[in-house]
Amino acid sequence: MKLPGGWKYIKLSELFEEVSEKNHADAEVLTIVQGVGTVPRKDSGRDIIYDKNSLSNYKYVQKDDFIIHLRSFEGGLEIANQEGIVSPAYIILRTKIQAEPGYLYTLFHSNRFINQTMAPAVEGVRDGRTVKYEVLKNQSIPFPPLAEQQKIAEILCRQDKIISLKQKLLEQKQQQKKWLMQKLLEVPHTNADCEEVFSLGGVVIDKSGWKREKIETVAEISSGSTPRRDETENFNGNILWLTSGELKQKYIFDTKEHISKQGAEKSNLTVYKPGTVVIAIYGLEAAGIRGTCSIINTECTISQACMAFTNFKKVTNEYFYYWYLQNGQAIGSRYAQGTKQQNLSTDLMGNLSIEIPSFPEQKIIAQVLSTADKEIALLKSSIEKEKQKKKSLAQLLLTGTVRVKI
C-alpha cells in the first residue's frame, strides 16, 4: 500500500521492545477483555481460578503497554489500561519511540492488521492458534507523524464515546424491559412480593382475577422435523425452514435455510402460518438457546429442535410470546428431559400451566412490552450504524486516504 507524504513504514521491532518484568506479586491482577483491554480481574465478572502463590511469576505491565494474548490471532493486540500484572503466557510490548497509543490500538484492531499484517505470524489451527512475536516483529505498519497519529486517535476516540454512550443507554433500556416483564407477568405463586393490582394505560391490571389453565387448553402444540442432509435435493428450495438458533428476535421474516417441496413432504413438515409462536426445545440454558422464542411473520416450517404453538384460544399469541419469554428459561431448567440432549416435549408443555389475564389486560401488557422492544431494536440498529461509521473512518484514516488537519 502506497503511503501519503510524511508517512513511513516501520517494523514492530523498531516500535516495540519485548519486556518480561516479574516479581510484582502485590500489584493489581489484570485480565484481558477483547476489544476493551485490561481490566482488574476482580471486576471482570469472570470466575477465574488461579494460584495466588504464583503471582510473582506474572508479568508486570505499565499503562499503554501492548499485549499479545491468547486470542490475539482473532482480535488483535490489546492495551494495558492501567499498571498491574498479567498472565505469564502473554507477551508484553513497550514502545521505545514516541507513538500515540490510541492510534496504535485502533490500528491493531483493524481488519487489515489482523488479516494481513498479523496473518504470517499465526501458527496452529482453530483454538490452538498462537501469534509468534519472532515472526510478527518483522512485519511493518504505517506510521504517520506523531501529531497526525494523535488527531486520528482523537477522531476515532470521539466515535468510540458515541458508541459507548449508546451502549449504556441500551443496557438501561434492557434493564427497564426486564423490570417491566417482572412487574407485568409475575404472579404471587412465583413471586409473593409482586404487585397484584395497578393501572396501566387506563387498564386495571388485577392479577387476583387471573386464571391458571393448562397450555394444551389455550393452543395447539406440535414439533418440527429435519430433512436428511445427505439427500441434497431436500434443501435449497423455496420453503422457509426455521432452526432454534434463529430464535433471537421477536419476529421472524426469513430463515437461513430453505428446503424443497420434496424435503418438506419426506419429513412430513407442517407449513405454519404467520402468528405462530415457536420455541426452542433443545440446548443448555447457559448457551442461551433453550427458553428462547419468536413469532413467525411468514409461512415457514420448523426444525426438530423447535416447537410450534398455533390456534390460540383464551390468550393472544403476543401475550403468550411474552409469557414464555419470561418463564422459558425456568421451564427448561426444571422440566427438560433426557441426559445427553435435554429437551422439552409437547406432552410436557401441554400439561404446564399459564396465567390468563382478561383480553384488555393481555393487550395492554403486550403493547407496553412491544414498545420497549421497539426502543431496544432502534438503539441496536443505531449502535451498528455508529460501528460501521467508525469502521469506515478507521479505514480512511489509518491508510491516509483521508488526511486530518493538524
Side-chain angles (χ1 to χ4, degrees), residues 202-386:
V203 176
V204 175
I205 305 296
D206 185 358
K207 295 180 182 179
S208 65
W210 291 9
K211 298 178 181 179
R212 292 187 72 198
E213 294 195 25
K214 289 184 177 181
I215 292 176
E216 64 185 8
T217 69
V218 303
E220 294 180 11
I221 312 171
S222 54
S223 297
S225 181
T226 299
R228 289 178 61 98
R229 288 192 177 275
D230 58 352
E231 297 177 3
T232 56
E233 63 271 17
N234 289 338
F235 287 84
N236 299 317
N238 56 9
I239 299 173
L240 276 63
W241 184 69
L242 181 66
T243 61
S244 60
E246 297 174 81
L247 304 176
K248 296 176 181 178
Q249 62 279 326
K250 182 176 180 180
Y251 294 114
I252 300 293
F253 297 93
D254 198 0
T255 57
K256 291 180 180 178
E257 294 186 271
H258 294 182
I259 60 172
S260 64
K261 183 179 179 181
Q262 175 181 313
E265 289 174 350
K266 276 188 174 181
S267 301
N268 197 28
L269 280 164
T270 298
V271 178
Y272 293 101
K273 295 179 180 179
T276 300
V277 177
V278 180
I279 71 169
I281 62 174
Y282 291 168
L284 298 175
E285 180 181 355
I289 298 174
R290 191 183 64 216
T292 58
C293 60
S294 296
I295 301 173
I296 60 172
N297 241 6
T298 182
E299 290 189 345
C300 78
T301 58
I302 63 175
S303 79
Q304 66 186 30
C306 297
M307 188 183 296
F309 296 80
T310 58
N311 298 323
F312 288 96
K313 302 178 287 291
K314 303 177 187 177
V315 298
T316 66
N317 64 337
E318 291 257 333
Y319 172 77
F320 184 86
Y321 164 79
Y322 284 114
W323 175 85
Y324 188 77
L325 202 63
Q326 173 69 8
N327 296 283
Q329 288 285 13
I331 288 171
S333 297
R334 184 173 181 181
Y335 297 106
Q337 300 172 335
T339 52
K340 291 184 179 179
Q341 180 79 296
Q342 295 185 331
N343 64 284
L344 301 168
S345 68
T346 54
D347 288 342
L348 185 151
M349 285 300 301
N351 280 305
L352 295 181
S353 295
I354 180 174
E355 290 76 24
I356 304 178
S358 67
F359 279 114
E361 289 174 300
Q362 291 182 40
K363 183 178 179 181
I364 193 65
I365 288 170
Q367 182 180 318
V368 168
L369 294 175
S370 291
T371 299
D373 278 336
K374 288 174 183 176
E375 290 177 349
I376 289 171
L378 283 172
L379 265 174
K380 285 182 176 179
S381 176
S382 178
I383 289 169
E384 283 307 308
K385 287 178 181 177
E386 296 295 349

Side-chain angles (χ1 to χ4, degrees), residues 1-3 7-11 14 140-143:
M1 181 182 74
K2 185 178 180 180
L3 296 179
W7 288 40
K8 63 180 179 180
Y9 280 111
I10 65 168
K11 290 184 177 181
E14 298 174 69
S140 298
I141 61 170
F143 199 74

Side-chain angles (χ1 to χ4, degrees), residues 157-168:
C157 181
R158 192 180 305 130
Q159 188 63 20
D160 277 335
K161 286 179 180 177
I162 292 171
I163 294 169
S164 178
L165 287 171
K166 290 194 174 187
Q167 285 176 328
K168 287 179 181 177

Side-chain angles (χ1 to χ4, degrees), residues 145-209:
L146 182 61
E148 199 163 346
Q149 291 181 38
Q150 292 168 338
K151 190 65 177 179
I152 290 171
E154 179 187 330
I155 293 169
L156 295 176
C157 181
R158 192 180 305 130
Q159 188 63 20
D160 277 335
K161 286 179 180 177
I162 292 171
I163 294 169
S164 178
L165 287 171
K166 290 194 174 187
Q167 285 176 328
K168 287 179 181 177
L169 182 57
L170 174 61
E171 291 169 7
Q172 291 173 4
K173 291 292 183 182
Q174 289 171 329
Q175 285 300 314
Q176 287 173 5
K177 184 193 170 185
K178 184 178 179 181
W179 177 83
L180 278 171
M181 295 274 286
Q182 293 171 340
K183 178 179 176 66
L184 299 180
L185 297 170
E186 286 188 347
V187 288
H189 75 87
T190 60
N191 180 2
D193 295 327
C194 73
E195 191 175 1
E196 273 202 283
V197 182
F198 54 91
S199 180
L200 182 68
V203 176
V204 175
I205 305 296
D206 185 358
K207 295 180 182 179
S208 65

